[in-house]
Amino acid sequence: MDVVPLKIMISGAPASGKGTQCEFIKSKYELVHIAAGDLLRAEIASGSENGKRAKEYMEKGELVPDEIVVMMVKDRLIQKDVQENGWLLDGYPRSVSQATALEELHIRPDLFILLDVSEEILVERVVGRRLDPVTGKIYHLKYSPPENEEIAARLTQRFDDTEEKVKLRLVTYHKNLESVLSIYNDVIVKVDGSLPKEEVFERIDAILSALCQKKLKTDSTS
Ligand code: AP5
């Protein structure tokens, strides 16, 4: 299949599987994955002032202020590799002001994927999530256990991955959801994210393949 530079946003509640699906999507469609949460965690790890401020908000499950996040994502979106290969924006925009900042730059997605997962499942996923600091791979103690003892021994947990904190993150998510969706009404597709991860990807893959075909057809007739 020809690879077309798609512009995709993926959204959903905390632990709905955005990062997991992005791994599948980027390996097949070769898009540049830009995850707002990962950019923020890298800023925290750098020890910068912005990183210190961001952590205060993340610990409370609140959105990090726009003056830190908007520039961070915008700077990444205008890089050459993103322009050439297309982008996969994960966890951004999460508020009307962030969406409006993109609109002002004429940055709109071909598709806005919304992963739909019930709250009960989300809490179980958050509590069991582990990360491999060496490879960056996401695991789950029950659903995606580590391949061997060596990996199991080095897995870490995110500072905001507790039941108490995920409930705060969920409140923030629901407060902003409808207003963000209203901006992307014409390109939203809802996918059942409660299925096993491979089945979720099968559904997303079918949608993205159809989108690629449509884009190729449009390009060849224009
Ligand atoms: P962020 O890092 O984006 O966190 P989030 O939105 O809460 O999402 P997660 O990363 O927790 O989950 P995910 O959907 O990627 O799930 P995953 O694939 O890992 O944001 C963190 C914080 O940063 C925010 O609270 C906020 O403070 C700040 N922030 C971020 N963006 C911002 C913005 N735009 N503006 C302002 N502030 C911002 O999966 C979860 C677990 O489930 C894993 O263990 C995985 O293995 C497992 N799993 C995944 N899919 C399945 C499946 N289908 N079946 C079974 N298990 C599965």
Side-chain angles (χ1 to χ4, degrees), residues 10 13 40 82 131 155 194:
I10 184 159
L40 288 167
V82 179
L131 302 167
L155 294 183
S194 62

Side-chain angles (χ1 to χ4, degrees), residues 11-22 24 35-38 40-41 54-55 57-66 69-70 73 90-95 98 115 117 121-122 124-131 138-145 158-161 165-166 168-170 172-173 192-200:
S11 175
S16 53
K18 302 182 289 295
T20 301
Q21 292 306 317
C22 284
F24 287 119
D38 289 349
L40 288 167
R41 280 182 286 277
K55 193 170 182 200
Y57 289 88
M58 291 164 80
E59 295 217 314
K60 291 185 280 182
E62 291 174 9
L63 292 185
V64 172
D66 281 358
V69 189
V70 171
V73 174
D90 167 359
Y92 193 95
R94 286 195 206 217
S95 65
Q98 292 176 5
L115 293 177
V117 180
I121 297 179
L122 295 172
E124 191 196 11
R125 285 189 187 173
V126 159
V127 175
R129 171 167 45 193
R130 296 293 182 276
L131 302 167
I138 308 166
Y139 289 94
H140 189 281
L141 296 178
K142 183 170 164 193
Y143 300 113
S144 303
R158 260 169 52 178
F159 65 84
D160 55 352
D161 268 356
K165 286 190 175 147
V166 77
L168 298 172
R169 284 154 64 195
L170 272 165
T172 304
Y173 172 72
D192 182 356
S194 62
L195 300 168
K197 62 184 180 183
E198 294 79 9
E199 285 179 42
V200 178

Side-chain angles (χ1 to χ4, degrees), residues 97-115:
S97 56
Q98 292 176 5
T100 309
L102 290 180
E103 293 283 294
E104 281 165 5
L105 295 166
H106 305 289
I107 298 175
R108 269 191 84 76
D110 299 314
L111 197 72
F112 184 106
I113 302 171
L114 179 64
L115 293 177

Side-chain angles (χ1 to χ4, degrees), residues 40 44 49-58 64 68:
L40 288 167
I44 294 174
E49 273 313 307
N50 273 348
K52 284 183 195 142
R53 265 193 81 203
K55 193 170 182 200
E56 288 171 23
Y57 289 88
M58 291 164 80
V64 172
I68 298 177

Side-chain angles (χ1 to χ4, degrees), residues 148-205:
N148 57 51
E149 284 298 318
E150 190 190 343
I151 297 174
R154 66 182 186 225
L155 294 183
T156 59
Q157 201 171 7
R158 260 169 52 178
F159 65 84
D160 55 352
D161 268 356
T162 61
E163 185 166 348
E164 179 202 355
K165 286 190 175 147
V166 77
K167 294 216 160 129
L168 298 172
R169 284 154 64 195
L170 272 165
V171 170
T172 304
Y173 172 72
H174 287 297
K175 204 160 71 187
N176 291 288
L177 181 63
E178 286 309 319
S179 56
V180 172
L181 294 186
S182 69
I183 295 179
Y184 300 108
N185 249 335
D186 53 335
V187 285
I188 294 173
V189 49
K190 209 183 216 186
V191 175
D192 182 356
S194 62
L195 300 168
K197 62 184 180 183
E198 294 79 9
E199 285 179 42
V200 178
F201 180 62
E202 265 173 37
R203 288 166 193 222
I204 292 176
D205 190 22

